[in-house]
Amino acid sequence: MNALKVVSSIKAESKRDLAKAKTRHALLKSALQLYSLEGACGMSMNKIAKGAGIAQPSFYNHFDSVEELQSELSRQLKDNYLSPMRMAWIDMLKDYAALSKEEFNQRCQHCLTMIFAAAFQNIVLFQRLIEDSLCLGSPTEHKGLGRLITDVREEWTKIFIQGLQSAECSFEESDVHLCVDSASAQVHELILGCHQGRYSQQQAIAILCKNFDGLFRSFFTREMHRVEG
């Protein structure tokens, strides 16, 4: 009899946990939709809860604040975006000096195609993130989703550094920041250009591959001169 009670208790807890996870997911989804439409300034606990189909007080059963929810959503978006392509970029930098032009273009096109695909999964959200990153003051003032572009850029810097270190290529960190800022600005602008129909994705990726080849080459050319010197 006691064993039956324990089993029933476990099933009840499992159902509660499942229901809580479902509601948490609904809140995150509601917040993402709201942010895409209204940006960080339009986010409110009441609107998020309403979009998830729960009463506002129930929000606190899942998150302590809107800021905490945004931070969780930002972390998920960043991880989902970067995880599939992180090692591909690191390996491309590690192997760069040994790649033929055709091999580099193939790898670069593959990586850039993943970036474009991620942006076009929710282009409205992408546009909102870019707008907020430009309009919310200094990066240190950004919070939650408003900081996502800055966080992603910082992750790209780490990825670039890891790739250069794997290639045993010396570098100045300021040069890496300059390279990443330049590359991300180009990518963002050309994604928006494709969305507006000014050119095709294939054209955008082709010119980015050419530009990235130049950016990468500058590091390895300096390394060759350093070794020869």
Side-chain angles (χ1 to χ4, degrees), residues 12-210:
E13 287 181 11
S14 297
K15 286 182 179 179
R16 282 196 295 271
D17 290 342
L18 187 61
K20 188 172 183 177
K22 187 176 180 180
T23 302
R24 185 181 177 89
H25 176 75
L27 286 166
L28 290 167
K29 183 178 179 181
S30 172
L32 186 60
Q33 291 173 337
L34 185 62
Y35 176 83
S36 297
L37 293 172
E38 301 187 26
C41 296
M43 301 277 275
S44 74
M45 190 180 301
N46 184 50
K47 288 180 180 179
I48 295 170
K50 185 177 180 180
I54 66 170
Q56 180 176 326
S58 298
F59 181 97
Y60 290 107
N61 294 330
H62 306 276
F63 297 98
D64 291 335
S65 63
V66 172
E67 288 72 24
E68 183 189 343
L69 181 150
Q70 285 195 70
S71 294
E72 170 64 16
L73 189 54
S74 181
R75 184 191 64 77
Q76 289 186 13
L77 288 170
K78 183 176 69 174
D79 290 347
N80 290 340
Y81 166 61
L82 289 172
S83 293
M85 61 186 83
R86 187 185 303 273
M87 287 311 303
W89 282 101
I90 291 172
D91 287 344
M92 182 166 56
L93 278 161
K94 176 174 68 69
D95 299 338
Y96 179 79
L99 295 175
S100 67
K101 189 176 184 64
E102 183 180 353
E103 289 170 334
F104 171 79
N105 281 335
Q106 287 176 347
R107 289 209 200 180
C108 197
Q109 285 172 14
H110 172 67
C111 292
L112 287 167
T113 298
M114 286 192 285
I115 291 177
F116 273 67
F120 278 99
Q121 278 182 358
N122 191 337
I123 192 64
V124 176
L125 171 63
F126 177 78
Q127 288 176 297
R128 181 67 67 181
L129 290 167
I130 296 296
E131 289 171 7
D132 275 0
S133 71
L134 297 173
C135 299
L136 292 178
S138 68
T140 56
E141 296 173 355
H142 295 184
K143 295 180 181 179
L145 285 166
R147 211 200 125 73
L148 182 57
I149 293 295
T150 300
D151 287 345
V152 167
R153 200 158 49 230
E154 289 173 358
E155 286 297 317
W156 278 123
T157 300
K158 293 176 185 177
I159 289 169
F160 201 102
I161 287 174
Q162 189 174 343
L164 291 173
Q165 288 174 337
S166 297
E168 298 183 349
C169 180
S170 61
F171 57 89
E172 295 291 335
E173 192 166 327
S174 60
D175 289 333
V176 175
H177 284 294
L178 183 60
C179 179
V180 170
D181 285 353
S182 174
S184 61
Q186 290 178 50
V187 170
H188 294 164
E189 186 63 30
L190 293 189
I191 287 173
L192 294 177
C194 288
H195 176 59
Q196 293 159 6
R198 296 205 298 271
Y199 33 77
S200 69
Q201 181 172 314
Q202 184 178 7
Q203 288 174 302
I205 289 177
I207 194 66
L208 285 171
C209 284
K210 182 178 179 180

